[in-house]
Amino acid sequence: MAGIDRRTGAIIDDLSSSLQAAVFILSTRISSVVLLREFGGGVIELLGRSMTPSLFAAWQQLIATAIDLWEPRLSVRRVVPTGSVDEIRTGKAGLLIEADFRPRGHLGDYTVERVVGFTLSFGGGIRAVAS
């Protein structure tokens, strides 16, 4: 299955489409989609607060839950921060998300094709880069 890039309109493969969906989910505020008020990641609402271990744990859980809930082609295994302590303090940190890629998950077939790792970086907007 192929998707369409939301910025260029070009045809993209299934993995790129699911990563694009994950970025869209995490960058959308809850209740900002008019006809689907419960849609969103809940992550944006926590940005700007003092980072404590409990808040960071909640943030990791929100990311994993939002992707599991709204993107059936991905099943999150773990979410870990990337970057040094100084980068995290200055807000330049990123996240490494490891997930099972299930290309037919939206059809109810949860067979795992492969495990993917992708990085979310927050400097200059949220971007996903698969590894």
Side-chain angles (χ1 to χ4, degrees):
M1 186 176 122
I4 297 176
D5 188 286
R6 63 184 283 210
R7 288 181 175 57
T8 65
I11 295 174
I12 56 177
D13 64 353
D14 200 30
L15 177 59
S16 298
S17 175
S18 62
L19 294 180
Q20 177 179 259
V23 168
F24 181 70
I25 291 163
L26 297 177
S27 62
T28 302
R29 287 184 179 273
I30 292 176
S31 80
S32 65
V33 177
V34 175
L35 294 176
L36 193 59
R37 292 287 184 191
E38 63 272 14
F39 181 82
V43 177
I44 302 289
E45 289 81 357
L46 296 181
L47 293 177
R49 296 186 184 186
S50 293
M51 188 55 70
T52 62
S54 61
L55 181 68
F56 193 76
W59 202 48
Q60 287 175 303
Q61 186 62 48
L62 275 172
I63 289 169
T65 302
I67 292 173
D68 283 344
L69 184 63
W70 297 110
E71 181 47 61
R73 294 174 291 180
L74 294 174
S75 176
V76 176
R77 287 181 170 209
R78 66 185 179 136
V79 178
V80 294
T82 61
S84 66
V85 174
D86 291 330
E87 287 175 325
I88 292 172
R89 284 187 186 131
T90 59
K92 296 179 183 172
L95 293 171
L96 172 65
I97 299 173
E98 187 179 285
D100 294 332
F101 177 58
R102 309 172 304 190
R104 297 177 51 82
H106 62 292
L107 300 173
D109 178 8
Y110 299 118
T111 306
V112 176
E113 180 180 286
R114 63 181 168 155
V115 177
V116 296
F118 59 98
T119 328
L120 290 178
S121 59
F122 297 96
I126 300 177
R127 292 176 295 135
V129 179
S131 56

